[in-house]
Amino acid sequence: MASLTTINTPHRGCIFAEYLLKKIPAAARQKIADTYNAALKRLGDEAPDFLAAVTDLTASACEARNAATPDAPGVFYQSVMSYCRKAQHGKFPLNMTYPIVKHFDGLNDGLVAVDSAKWGDQFTLLEPRGHRGISHGDVVDLNRENIPGFDVREFYVSLVADLKNRGF
């Protein structure tokens, strides 16, 4: 038996990424890429390629990848997604991308749309409690902060416990 769990993953791609790649002038795209690539190098990536990574997440690239790699029989697939209620619930750059993603893709975590993340036999939507949302950065614990009503560490413990109970 095997399982695959994805967290805030754009299985159907990001429409906004495709739009921006087509609309932003090449020089501006390259400047943005150079900035991210420099930061990624400082973090240890020896050969970062920001533009290739973003291109891989476009709706058309994901559609092609999904067609070429169908789900394997006998594998339990599940997906999990969170969302923000407002742009301010994500830290930079998610607070800046949130309204763009919302315009093109709808309800999102600052990077990935809820509809794009739905995949597999089971889909779990992490609902934010109160006024604060759960951003892409929050669900991977990038910011190392506690969120009222959502304990990221406990979420992962519960996720693994559920897989164990299912026999994985």
Side-chain angles (χ1 to χ4, degrees):
M1 285 180 50
S3 70
L4 175 66
T5 301
T6 60
I7 311 291
N8 292 44
T9 302
H11 293 284
R12 288 169 184 77
C14 303
I15 298 168
F16 82 94
E18 196 135 7
Y19 176 83
L20 291 176
L21 285 171
K22 289 178 182 174
K23 293 293 183 183
I24 295 175
R29 276 196 319 263
Q30 193 57 55
K31 183 171 175 56
I32 293 166
D34 291 345
T35 302
Y36 273 96
N37 288 339
L40 293 168
K41 274 191 173 190
R42 285 192 302 275
L43 293 172
D45 189 336
E46 294 176 8
D49 191 342
F50 178 78
L51 284 178
V54 172
T55 301
D56 282 348
L57 297 176
T58 62
S60 60
C62 287
E63 182 179 2
R65 186 170 35 260
N66 292 338
T69 57
D71 290 351
V75 175
F76 171 71
Y77 292 91
Q78 70 174 331
S79 54
V80 177
M81 185 63 195
S82 66
Y83 65 93
C84 292
R85 295 190 192 280
K86 297 178 182 178
Q88 301 88 331
H89 296 155
K91 295 194 181 205
F92 180 81
L94 301 178
N95 59 342
M96 294 182 65
T97 54
Y98 173 86
I100 300 167
V101 180
K102 185 173 183 178
H103 175 77
F104 285 97
D105 300 293
L107 192 62
N108 70 88
D109 66 354
L111 190 60
V112 177
V114 169
D115 286 341
S116 183
K118 294 177 183 176
W119 196 267
D121 306 303
Q122 180 174 307
F123 175 71
T124 302
L125 182 61
L126 301 174
E127 298 279 354
R129 295 194 181 118
H131 298 293
R132 189 174 186 316
I134 304 169
S135 76
H136 194 89
D138 295 329
V139 86
V140 298
D141 205 19
L142 182 67
N143 304 316
R144 303 281 186 206
E145 67 178 303
N146 294 325
I147 301 164
F150 178 69
D151 183 330
V152 68
R153 290 161 295 283
E154 187 56 38
F155 159 71
Y156 282 103
V157 168
S158 296
L159 187 69
V160 172
D162 179 64
L163 287 168
K164 181 180 178 190
N165 290 336
R166 292 174 182 271
F168 298 107

